[in-house]
Amino acid sequence: MPIIPTPADAMTTLRRRTSEKWGTHSDDVLPMFVAEMDFPLAPAIKKALHEAIDLGDTGYVNPSDPGARTAFRDYAAAAWGWEPDPERMGITTDVSVVIVESLRRLIEPGDGVVITPPVYPPFYDLIPEAGGAVVEAPLRDDGSSYALDLDGVDRALAAGAKGVLLCSPHNPVGLVHDRATLEQLSRIVARHDGFVVADEIHAPLTYQGVEFTPYLAVSDEARAHGIAAESGSKAFNLAGLKTALFVSESDRMTDLIRSLPEEVTFRAGQFGLIATREGFARSRDWLDATVASVQNNVDHLQAELAAHLPAVRLRRPSASYLAWLDMSALGWGDDPAVIAEQQARVALSSGPAFGRQGAGYARMNLACSPDTITEAVRRLAAVDPSGAPQR
């Protein structure tokens, strides 16, 4: 049976939202920056949250409730052939907390941690927050595709960095690392007695026909030295409900999770735990339809750019609803998102925020209606090369 794509909410409904995406700018701006979806909540999630409100089930999270952890295990087994043990998982607020709290226990003050820019901007802040120092091993870019620079990671670890903060799938470029690459990475890290913290928040948004491989599933070495950050917040648009999972496959990393102060768990949100459970357990059809919508939107964006703004190049993703746009040919400077917002009234994410490799780029959120994409491209195309709007 063909998958029917999830339609976005109407603009009149979206404009009533007060989240960062819809509450930051005035109504004449199309917000296509922060990673929030314009799609309605999955019905099972909405139903469960309403039931919780009716029950007054608004207290603290229950750490012994296996619901969300078991639901993630079952989803991972069905989607990726990976069956992590819920007893080796921990609960917390969000993926950033998984990263920081893991790093705090894996490094000493001043230790280097490798990142692979262009990459999710908070990585530049989370490592210092944990007491470490950022070490860059940029992605290899041949002009048509990206890949991990394994030799660069090897050199960084040989020079003294202690581990790798892996973005998988990779934000903002939508790169899904293949199994062979991750296996090689695990052996490089093991050779240097290092670690990997794998941010896999976008993994459920991997496109149809593309295989996502969890880092902890690739080798014995990866299971020994890796810890994964998992969440339903991107897949099911739950960021404001505040729940993520630490996932481990070794005694070492399980002990790390069990050593966390109990407040790390209790800062998670009760609604987030409920929504995460319902997302992974009972919203897989909704997720499939949502991924179909995003894939259609990638095609639609590419067609719109070809027809109306051919100077802008879409670096096609294989996961996530985030489009990485090479806008350097427009002559709008290192940060074209500035002119996009000021002159076209389209809010994009700043390319240079993802690292110096993002100069001339911007990131566009495609978890929206095709009409929004059409309007955004037409607005961008109406800006002349100097950045002044055409009349």
Side-chain angles (χ1 to χ4, degrees):
M1 181 179 296
I3 297 172
I4 300 174
T6 301
D9 278 330
M11 189 63 69
T12 52
T13 299
L14 295 169
R15 292 287 182 194
R16 294 169 57 197
R17 294 184 181 180
T18 61
S19 62
E20 182 181 3
K21 183 176 183 182
W22 292 97
T24 299
H25 301 283
S26 57
D27 284 356
D28 65 325
V29 174
L30 281 180
M32 304 180 78
F33 65 116
V34 71
E36 298 180 21
M37 291 184 181
D38 293 354
F39 304 122
L41 278 178
I45 294 174
K46 184 181 291 189
K47 179 175 182 289
L49 292 175
H50 277 295
E51 288 177 351
I53 290 171
D54 290 342
L55 289 170
D57 190 8
T58 55
Y60 295 108
V61 296
N62 176 5
S64 64
D65 179 359
R69 291 174 287 136
T70 300
F72 175 75
R73 186 269 316 276
D74 293 346
Y75 171 82
W80 308 320
W82 176 45
E83 197 167 345
D85 183 353
E87 294 301 315
R88 291 186 179 272
M89 299 180 194
I91 299 164
T92 192
T93 315
D94 55 32
V95 159
S96 292
V97 173
V98 175
I99 292 168
V100 170
E101 295 297 338
S102 297
L103 289 178
R104 280 178 175 154
R105 288 153 182 82
L106 292 167
I107 63 174
E108 299 295 332
D111 281 348
V113 178
V114 179
I115 63 171
T116 55
V119 74
Y120 182 52
F123 279 14
Y124 286 96
D125 300 319
L126 299 176
I127 291 169
E129 182 180 344
V134 172
V135 177
E136 296 189 10
L139 293 177
R140 289 192 290 108
D141 178 9
D142 64 8
S144 62
S145 62
Y146 290 98
L148 286 177
D149 182 355
L150 294 172
D151 290 338
V153 173
D154 194 2
R155 288 192 298 270
L157 294 171
K162 299 301 181 182
V164 178
L165 177 51
L166 178 69
C167 197
S168 180
H170 195 100
N171 176 9
V173 305
L175 168 65
V176 178
H177 309 295
D178 61 55
R179 178 179 289 272
T181 296
L182 294 175
E183 286 177 348
Q184 288 180 268
L185 175 65
S186 74
R187 286 165 173 74
I188 290 168
V189 172
R191 189 167 67 247
H192 293 287
D193 194 25
F195 63 83
V196 170
V197 177
D199 174 356
E200 297 181 345
I201 195 171
H202 291 277
L205 295 164
T206 299
Y207 295 171
Q208 294 171 14
V210 179
E211 181 181 0
F212 170 76
T213 303
Y215 184 72
L216 299 184
V218 300
S219 67
D220 290 340
E221 291 92 339
R223 285 182 279 277
H225 65 230
I227 191 164
E230 311 286 354
S231 177
S233 65
K234 291 296 180 286
F236 302 106
N237 204 37
L238 307 176
L241 299 185
K242 293 299 180 187
T243 294
L245 301 173
F246 297 83
V247 180
S248 66
E249 288 270 28
S250 67
D251 290 345
R252 174 194 177 193
M253 293 305 181
T254 302
D255 288 345
L256 182 154
I257 294 169
R258 291 173 179 167
S259 75
L260 295 166
E262 66 177 12
E263 285 304 317
V264 173
T265 295
F266 283 108
R267 289 174 187 141
Q270 171 73 340
F271 282 179
L273 209 60
I274 292 168
T276 298
R277 179 194 71 213
E278 294 299 309
F280 285 122
R282 278 174 275 278
S283 302
R284 298 180 198 175
D285 288 345
W286 180 95
L287 180 60
D288 288 344
T290 297
V291 171
S293 291
V294 172
Q295 289 190 246
N296 288 345
N297 282 348
V298 172
D299 293 338
H300 182 64
L301 173 61
Q302 187 151 43
E304 286 292 306
L305 291 174
H308 303 286
L309 200 56
V312 174
R313 183 167 62 116
L314 168 64
R315 305 294 298 266
R316 286 186 67 95
S318 296
S320 89
Y321 50 80
L322 305 170
W324 190 231
L325 302 178
D326 181 356
M327 305 178 76
S328 55
L330 294 175
W332 292 3
D334 285 349
D335 193 358
V338 173
I339 288 178
E341 182 177 339
Q342 291 178 348
Q343 305 296 347
R345 309 305 285 160
V346 177
L348 306 174
S349 294
S350 164
F354 295 84
R356 58 184 174 80
Q357 297 78 11
Y361 283 77
R363 193 189 73 178
M364 177 182 281
N365 183 335
L366 301 183
C368 58
S369 75
D371 289 345
T372 298
I373 294 168
T374 298
E375 175 67 15
V377 172
R378 305 297 170 86
R379 289 188 186 193
L380 293 168
V383 178
D384 74 18
S386 69
Q390 294 180 356
R391 299 184 184 281

Short mmCIF file of all heavy atoms in Angstrom, two decimals, residues 311-313 315 325-337 357-362 385:
data_model
loop_
_atom_site.label_atom_id
_atom_site.label_comp_id
_atom_site.label_asym_id
_atom_site.label_seq_id
_atom_site.Cartn_x
_atom_site.Cartn_y
_atom_site.Cartn_z
N ALA A 311 21.16 29.55 -9.17
CA ALA A 311 22.48 29.81 -8.58
C ALA A 311 22.64 29.13 -7.24
O ALA A 311 23.78 28.95 -6.76
CB ALA A 311 22.71 31.31 -8.44
N VAL A 312 21.54 28.74 -6.61
CA VAL A 312 21.60 28.08 -5.30
C VAL A 312 21.62 26.58 -5.51
O VAL A 312 20.78 26.01 -6.22
CB VAL A 312 20.41 28.49 -4.41
CG1 VAL A 312 20.41 27.68 -3.12
CG2 VAL A 312 20.48 29.98 -4.10
N ARG A 313 22.56 25.92 -4.86
CA ARG A 313 22.74 24.47 -5.01
C ARG A 313 22.30 23.75 -3.75
O ARG A 313 22.77 24.04 -2.66
CB ARG A 313 24.20 24.14 -5.31
CG ARG A 313 24.46 22.66 -5.56
CD ARG A 313 25.83 22.43 -6.15
NE ARG A 313 26.88 22.87 -5.25
CZ ARG A 313 27.79 22.04 -4.70
NH1 ARG A 313 27.76 20.75 -4.97
NH2 ARG A 313 28.72 22.52 -3.91
N ARG A 315 22.49 20.64 -1.48
CA ARG A 315 23.28 19.44 -1.17
C ARG A 315 22.30 18.41 -0.62
O ARG A 315 21.93 18.45 0.56
CB ARG A 315 24.39 19.77 -0.16
CG ARG A 315 25.31 20.91 -0.56
CD ARG A 315 26.16 20.57 -1.79
NE ARG A 315 27.05 19.45 -1.56
CZ ARG A 315 28.33 19.57 -1.17
NH1 ARG A 315 28.86 20.77 -0.95
NH2 ARG A 315 29.09 18.50 -1.01
N LEU A 325 22.04 24.41 1.87
CA LEU A 325 22.01 25.18 0.63
C LEU A 325 23.31 25.94 0.42
O LEU A 325 23.71 26.75 1.27
CB LEU A 325 20.85 26.18 0.66
CG LEU A 325 19.44 25.61 0.85
CD1 LEU A 325 18.42 26.74 0.91
CD2 LEU A 325 19.10 24.64 -0.27
N ASP A 326 23.95 25.70 -0.70
CA ASP A 326 25.12 26.45 -1.10
C ASP A 326 24.63 27.70 -1.85
O ASP A 326 24.21 27.63 -3.00
CB ASP A 326 26.01 25.59 -2.00
CG ASP A 326 27.27 26.33 -2.44
OD1 ASP A 326 27.42 27.52 -2.11
OD2 ASP A 326 28.09 25.70 -3.13
N MET A 327 24.69 28.84 -1.16
CA MET A 327 24.19 30.10 -1.71
C MET A 327 25.33 31.03 -2.10
O MET A 327 25.12 32.22 -2.36
CB MET A 327 23.27 30.76 -0.68
CG MET A 327 22.13 29.87 -0.23
SD MET A 327 21.04 30.59 1.04
CE MET A 327 20.08 31.74 0.05
N SER A 328 26.55 30.49 -2.15
CA SER A 328 27.72 31.34 -2.35
C SER A 328 27.70 32.06 -3.69
O SER A 328 28.23 33.17 -3.81
CB SER A 328 29.00 30.51 -2.21
OG SER A 328 28.98 29.40 -3.10
N ALA A 329 27.08 31.46 -4.71
CA ALA A 329 27.06 32.09 -6.02
C ALA A 329 26.18 33.33 -6.08
O ALA A 329 26.24 34.10 -7.04
CB ALA A 329 26.60 31.08 -7.08
N LEU A 330 25.35 33.53 -5.06
CA LEU A 330 24.50 34.71 -5.03
C LEU A 330 25.27 35.99 -4.70
O LEU A 330 24.77 37.09 -4.91
CB LEU A 330 23.37 34.53 -4.01
CG LEU A 330 22.33 33.45 -4.31
CD1 LEU A 330 21.35 33.33 -3.14
CD2 LEU A 330 21.59 33.75 -5.61
N GLY A 331 26.46 35.83 -4.12
CA GLY A 331 27.22 37.01 -3.73
C GLY A 331 26.69 37.70 -2.49
O GLY A 331 26.88 38.91 -2.33
N TRP A 332 26.04 36.94 -1.62
CA TRP A 332 25.46 37.51 -0.41
C TRP A 332 26.39 37.41 0.79
O TRP A 332 25.97 37.62 1.92
CB TRP A 332 24.13 36.82 -0.08
CG TRP A 332 23.03 37.10 -1.06
CD1 TRP A 332 23.11 37.84 -2.20
CD2 TRP A 332 21.69 36.61 -0.98
NE1 TRP A 332 21.90 37.86 -2.84
CE2 TRP A 332 21.00 37.11 -2.12
CE3 TRP A 332 21.00 35.80 -0.08
CZ2 TRP A 332 19.65 36.83 -2.37
CZ3 TRP A 332 19.66 35.52 -0.33
CH2 TRP A 332 18.99 36.03 -1.46
N GLY A 333 27.65 37.08 0.57
CA GLY A 333 28.61 37.04 1.65
C GLY A 333 28.67 35.70 2.34
O GLY A 333 28.02 34.73 1.94
N ASP A 334 29.47 35.66 3.42
CA ASP A 334 29.67 34.42 4.15
C ASP A 334 28.41 33.91 4.83
O ASP A 334 28.25 32.70 5.05
CB ASP A 334 30.76 34.61 5.21
CG ASP A 334 32.15 34.64 4.62
OD1 ASP A 334 32.30 34.33 3.42
OD2 ASP A 334 33.10 35.00 5.35
N ASP A 335 27.50 34.82 5.17
CA ASP A 335 26.29 34.42 5.91
C ASP A 335 25.05 34.87 5.14
O ASP A 335 24.42 35.87 5.48
CB ASP A 335 26.31 35.03 7.31
CG ASP A 335 25.27 34.40 8.22
OD1 ASP A 335 24.51 33.53 7.75
OD2 ASP A 335 25.21 34.79 9.40
N PRO A 336 24.70 34.16 4.08
CA PRO A 336 23.56 34.59 3.26
C PRO A 336 22.23 34.59 4.00
O PRO A 336 21.28 35.22 3.55
CB PRO A 336 23.56 33.58 2.11
CG PRO A 336 24.33 32.42 2.59
CD PRO A 336 25.35 32.96 3.55
N ALA A 337 22.15 33.90 5.15
CA ALA A 337 20.91 33.91 5.91
C ALA A 337 20.55 35.32 6.38
O ALA A 337 19.37 35.62 6.60
CB ALA A 337 21.01 32.98 7.11
N GLN A 357 33.38 25.92 7.44
CA GLN A 357 33.00 25.26 6.20
C GLN A 357 31.60 25.66 5.74
O GLN A 357 31.20 25.38 4.62
CB GLN A 357 33.07 23.74 6.35
CG GLN A 357 34.45 23.19 6.66
CD GLN A 357 34.86 23.36 8.11
OE1 GLN A 357 34.04 23.72 8.97
NE2 GLN A 357 36.12 23.11 8.41
N GLY A 358 30.86 26.33 6.62
CA GLY A 358 29.51 26.78 6.28
C GLY A 358 29.45 28.16 5.67
O GLY A 358 28.35 28.67 5.40
N ALA A 359 30.59 28.78 5.41
CA ALA A 359 30.60 30.10 4.78
C ALA A 359 29.93 30.01 3.41
O ALA A 359 30.27 29.14 2.59
CB ALA A 359 32.02 30.62 4.64
N GLY A 360 28.98 30.89 3.16
CA GLY A 360 28.25 30.90 1.91
C GLY A 360 27.05 29.98 1.88
O GLY A 360 26.32 29.92 0.89
N TYR A 361 26.81 29.25 2.99
CA TYR A 361 25.71 28.31 3.09
C TYR A 361 24.63 28.80 4.06
O TYR A 361 24.87 29.68 4.90
CB TYR A 361 26.21 26.95 3.60
CG TYR A 361 26.92 26.10 2.58
CD1 TYR A 361 28.23 26.37 2.21
CD2 TYR A 361 26.28 25.02 1.98
CE1 TYR A 361 28.90 25.57 1.29
CE2 TYR A 361 26.94 24.21 1.06
CZ TYR A 361 28.25 24.50 0.71
OH TYR A 361 28.89 23.71 -0.19
N ALA A 362 23.47 28.20 3.94
CA ALA A 362 22.39 28.36 4.92
C ALA A 362 21.64 27.04 4.99
O ALA A 362 21.66 26.24 4.05
CB ALA A 362 21.45 29.49 4.53
N PRO A 385 21.25 40.70 -6.83
CA PRO A 385 22.57 40.25 -6.39
C PRO A 385 23.22 41.13 -5.33
O PRO A 385 24.09 40.65 -4.59
CB PRO A 385 23.40 40.25 -7.68
CG PRO A 385 22.39 40.07 -8.76
CD PRO A 385 21.18 40.80 -8.30
#
